Amino acid sequence: MNNMNELVALGEKNVMNTYSRFPVALEKGDGAYVWDINGKKYVDFVAGIAVNALGHNHPKLVKTISEQVTKLIHVSNLYYTAPQIELASLLTKYTDFDKVFFCNSGAEANESALKLCRKYADMKGKPGAEIITMLKSFHGRTYGAITATGQEKYQKGLTPLLPDIFHVPFNDISALESKMSEKTCGVFIEVIQGEGGVIPADFEYLKKVRELCDKYDALLIFDEVQTGVGRTGTLYAYQQTGVVPDAISSAKGLAGGVPIGALLATDKAAAAFKPGDHASTFGGNSLATSAGVTVIKEIMENGVLENVKKQGDYLTEKLNELKAKHSSIVDVRGLGLMKGIELDTPAAPIVSSCIEKGLLLVGAGEKVIRFVPPLIIEKEQIDEAISILDSVL
Ligand SMILES: *Cc1c(COP(=O)(O)O)cnc(C)c1O
């Protein structure tokens, strides 16, 4: 038995059985590459599912984290700390939002948004506190977030869920309009549905959603957990839509792999939270927020955003070439470095074969393969990935 098999067996024995994993044990990474414990190299187009924004072993991120642990890892939100305030200031500087709440994951950021909507309804004396989200959406695994998630497969066996959260078809303005009323206090949308299959929202639709939310004084929340932090070519995807929501949830790439979540809100929405209304022990701790500062500075001030646009265009070009060659690819879509191809066959066997040949990919829904590489990916690495995928197809 080699190391890999032993480790996999030990994992099966001791780790709770909630994931269906590939039989690969990864050990280290550098840039857009990772290595397994047998020394086999992979080009990483998963990046921890859109998390490792600066890739692996990024010198500046390593330096920031190493230095920060010698000062403070964590104190408490009973006190002010510079990294937390610096990250909040960068996020408000580069977006339309005024205030940031820090937590530790995407689900928690959405949980914060759900609470904010209901607190907003309470503050405004609205006649109800209904929240509307989209079918095929994904918002996380906590009870509120899983109720908001518009996919039955994730909710099976978990009922009763939270009351007064409803789902309507995505990109369908009349469906939303017929469900909205004075009782609505929040609408949740992903600018590109990630887990649901890399499905972009129509920008004209988003404008009409904004109008409906204004009409009924409901908060418009964009779940940017996956689309945020430079992933689509702007710091947040909403910045390309012509629509400013009342709040966005952020997580995944925000601290380059250190757990973090954030809710960014306008003053109008943030006013619904008063001291004591919401909290998180770990939220905004020095380790995570110092990492976040480095990630945001690299993206905004050191050319990473430009790389996303350039390599995103190149990836689209290459995927379209594959589509012209392989009839099994029926669609190429997405923005920046969040791309998907839809196949006419299940994605899982193709993903497995790519892993065997040294390319990490992740599915999104049954027939879609997702491409969410580190934002520092280079042309040669895209070529490498495309050539492996080409040979597998
Ligand atoms: C990943 C994801 C979440 C959940 O984030 P966790 O950190 O796993 O809780 C929520 N919303 C979207 C759009 C996501 O992609």
Side-chain angles (χ1 to χ4, degrees), residues 105-107 110 138-140 190 195 223 225-226 252:
S105 67
N110 286 324
F138 183 81
H139 299 296
E190 290 159 270
E195 307 299 311
D223 179 343
V225 169
Q226 194 160 155
K252 290 203 161 91

Side-chain angles (χ1 to χ4, degrees), residues 128 136 164 201 215-216 300 323 368 392:
K136 290 197 169 178
D164 286 354
K215 179 175 169 195
Y216 292 113
M300 298 307 290
K323 178 169 177 272
V368 175
V392 168

